[in-house]
Amino acid sequence: MKKDFVYLVGAGPGRADLITVRGAEILQKADCIIYDKLANPALLKFARKDAEIIHVPKRIGDGSFTQQEINKILLEKASGGKTVVRLKGGDPGIFGRCAEELAVLVEAGIDFEIVPGVTAATAAAEYAGILLTDREHCSQVVFVTGQEAKGKEESSIDWYLLAKFRGTIVFYMAMGNLDFIANQLIENGMDENTPAAVIADATFPTQKTVRASLRLINKKCKEEKVEPPAIIVIGQAADSDARLDWFRKKPFFGKNIVVTRDDHGNAEFADKIITRGGNAIEFPTIKTKPLTNTNIFLRALTKLSEFDWIIFTSSNGVEIVFDCLRNLGKDARVFGSAKIAAIGSETAGTLNRFGIKADFVPSVFTSKELGKQLAEFANLKDKKALLLRSQLASDELAAWLKKAGAEILNVPVYRIDTIKNKCKELVEKIADGEIDWLTFASPSSVRAFFEQIQADAANAGRVKIASIGPMTSEQLQSLGIRVDVEASEHTIDGLLDAIEQTYK
């Protein structure tokens, strides 16, 4: 019989990709995930579809949980041989009340494992270009809570010792007590001109860093409306070289960019935006519905050896075809001696993951150029070509291939369905100037987006429109939407490069 087991997993400092490899692995096998306010909900992408997800935020009014309530949930869910993950912001053992939860598990005889996480102090400092230790100037660091347990008769913080501490002091959860902390240190002998820094929303594109003297840091934070969660760094380390502030120099730092693909495509797109320092706002507009169970596809599958060329016009098409082959117990060998063409580098890259190197990729990633350049690359007269693509694909590619003398079989392998969203919040953000870019990676996503949101909203205010290529731009313009940027290389990376170029 499977034993009860609880993993206390450190979620890291904020960004979802800063979780440890071990932490991500554990999330993938959990039956139940109990996560708090400081754990990024984006980490739930690692969870199984059938996993139970329980949000247990603290100290936020209605809907908040006490520690006792969380302990009770932990015990209830860990019974019956379930694998439970308690996902905690930062590192479980640093001001995370881990000891209380472990005591409950030990008392109940439930086995556990602690999975360390990147703690907020180190991450926040490094994302602000602050090095907490330095062999020349600072050889020690101390972490201090800014909120001691309520009801304690006597503080455990030695303010006299901290005021004399020759190193870096980092305070957690201290924004509400910042003035008190500064006064305590100064009254106990710390120089009021000691450098201090407050880093809020660390590791996110909304990160804000405020620097001032210890005496003035609270005043400056109020002026700049800094809100928790935040980390406070006090000591010479806080007066770091501005050239080390690498995160703020990312091209998309502070930019809010809406991605409008399907869920899978949005996740990949968002990762690329985050890598460039931006904030990706996922607004899925479409979903792909496989058509690999249709008679036309299944008949084509039995005759693959008869084709001279097999042509893929999207990564989605490749994924869907190979998913079907896997379910049928087949692999890339079914394509036999046929040559393979891909519309662009992303589609070719997806083929490569399945063990196929595309024989032809055009220099310009459009249907027109694929047909035109393939006709120049190979003798297509009396050759048989199989097009595996979207049900909504245009006739442009087929027309060019037929003109070159090829015999064409056009087989749709998926269709595009529209996803309906709650649009009010996004429309309000656009109107308030909080959105920098709306991005579109296909004509279908354009149609689906503007079936839900009026064109006037996109043309108003400061928001800009970015298109992956000419067909997408044409669809936007047909709806009366201006196009501010079009990618010269018609890939997601090319689209981001084009946006980045506007900031240079």
Side-chain angles (χ1 to χ4, degrees), residues 53-74:
I53 309 296
I54 303 173
H55 187 204
V56 289
K58 296 181 188 176
R59 297 186 297 274
I60 59 167
D62 293 341
S64 63
F65 288 74
T66 65
Q67 186 62 53
Q68 290 71 27
E69 288 171 329
I70 294 171
N71 293 346
K72 184 179 178 181
I73 292 170
L74 201 56

Side-chain angles (χ1 to χ4, degrees), residues 69-213:
E69 288 171 329
I70 294 171
N71 293 346
K72 184 179 178 181
I73 292 170
L74 201 56
L75 288 178
E76 287 176 355
K77 297 303 176 182
S79 63
K82 289 184 178 179
T83 297
V84 176
V85 167
R86 174 70 172 101
L87 188 62
K88 303 171 74 68
D91 178 272
I94 303 293
F95 304 125
R97 301 186 74 168
C98 186
E100 296 169 59
E101 294 176 11
L102 288 176
V104 169
L105 296 175
V106 170
E107 182 68 22
I110 296 172
D111 289 339
F112 62 87
E113 176 184 328
I114 302 173
V115 180
V118 179
T119 191
T122 56
E126 288 162 15
Y127 265 68
I130 293 171
L131 306 180
L132 296 180
T133 64
D134 182 292
R135 63 184 299 179
E136 296 294 331
H137 308 293
C138 178
S139 299
Q140 52 190 346
V141 60
V142 61
F143 296 164
V144 187
T145 180
Q147 291 184 22
E148 293 191 87
K150 291 182 179 179
K152 284 179 70 173
E153 294 183 4
E154 189 175 337
S155 173
S156 300
I157 298 175
D158 189 332
W159 294 106
Y160 180 79
L161 177 65
L162 286 179
K164 303 294 186 292
F165 187 69
R166 296 178 61 188
T168 306
I169 306 171
V170 182
F171 281 90
Y172 286 67
M173 305 169 291
M175 281 304 299
N177 294 326
L178 183 52
D179 202 36
F180 170 77
I181 289 167
N183 286 334
Q184 284 290 322
L185 291 171
I186 292 168
E187 288 173 9
N188 280 276
M190 183 174 281
D191 187 339
E192 65 177 22
N193 293 313
T194 300
V198 173
I199 307 116
D201 262 358
T203 76
F204 290 107
T206 49
Q207 177 175 305
K208 179 180 282 189
T209 305
V210 174
R211 300 172 194 259
S213 67

Side-chain angles (χ1 to χ4, degrees), residues 15 17 246-247 250-252 269-278:
R15 271 180 59 159
D17 57 352
W246 61 274
F247 187 45
K250 288 277 190 178
F252 294 162
F269 201 170
D271 283 343
K272 292 176 182 289
I273 291 170
I274 290 168
T275 298
R276 301 189 191 211

Side-chain angles (χ1 to χ4, degrees), residues 384-449:
K384 295 182 72 174
L386 174 62
L387 309 188
L388 300 175
R389 53 191 189 145
S390 165
Q391 192 179 54
L392 291 175
S394 73
D395 296 328
E396 202 167 26
L397 171 59
W400 276 96
L401 297 176
K402 287 177 181 178
K403 185 178 178 181
E407 181 184 337
I408 304 299
L409 179 60
N410 186 22
V411 176
V413 295
Y414 65 94
R415 75 166 191 250
I416 300 293
D417 292 339
T418 299
I419 294 178
K420 296 297 183 182
N421 286 281
K422 294 179 180 178
C423 304
K424 183 180 177 183
E425 183 180 356
L426 179 59
V427 170
E428 289 176 349
K429 284 185 175 182
I430 293 171
D432 293 340
E434 296 177 23
I435 303 298
D436 297 281
W437 290 92
L438 298 175
T439 64
F440 297 96
S442 69
S444 55
S445 65
V446 172
R447 289 189 293 269
F449 185 87

Side-chain angles (χ1 to χ4, degrees), residues 292-309:
T292 48
N293 60 347
T294 59
N295 288 335
I296 186 173
F297 176 79
L298 294 173
R299 282 198 301 270
L301 201 58
T302 65
K303 298 179 180 180
L304 290 178
S305 60
E306 298 177 12
F307 293 97
D308 301 286
W309 282 92

Side-chain angles (χ1 to χ4, degrees), residues 291-368:
L291 298 176
T292 48
N293 60 347
T294 59
N295 288 335
I296 186 173
F297 176 79
L298 294 173
R299 282 198 301 270
L301 201 58
T302 65
K303 298 179 180 180
L304 290 178
S305 60
E306 298 177 12
F307 293 97
D308 301 286
W309 282 92
I310 296 173
I311 301 171
F312 290 91
T313 60
S314 71
S315 293
N316 275 337
V318 176
E319 297 272 6
I320 287 167
V321 167
F322 275 89
D323 188 51
C324 174
L325 292 177
R326 183 170 54 250
N327 290 335
L328 294 172
K330 301 179 183 294
D331 58 24
R333 287 172 291 183
V334 299
F335 296 114
S337 61
K339 293 190 178 299
I340 308 294
I343 195 169
S345 58
E346 286 187 359
T347 305
T350 306
L351 281 165
N352 201 47
R353 283 200 288 109
F354 292 104
I356 291 181
K357 185 178 186 302
D359 297 284
F360 179 77
V361 181
S363 58
V364 178
F365 307 155
T366 64
S367 294
K368 175 183 176 180

Side-chain angles (χ1 to χ4, degrees), residues 27-33 47-53 82:
L27 286 173
Q28 290 170 347
K29 67 179 187 180
D31 298 306
C32 176
I33 299 172
R48 298 197 326 249
K49 289 183 179 179
D50 63 338
E52 183 181 8
I53 309 296
K82 289 184 178 179

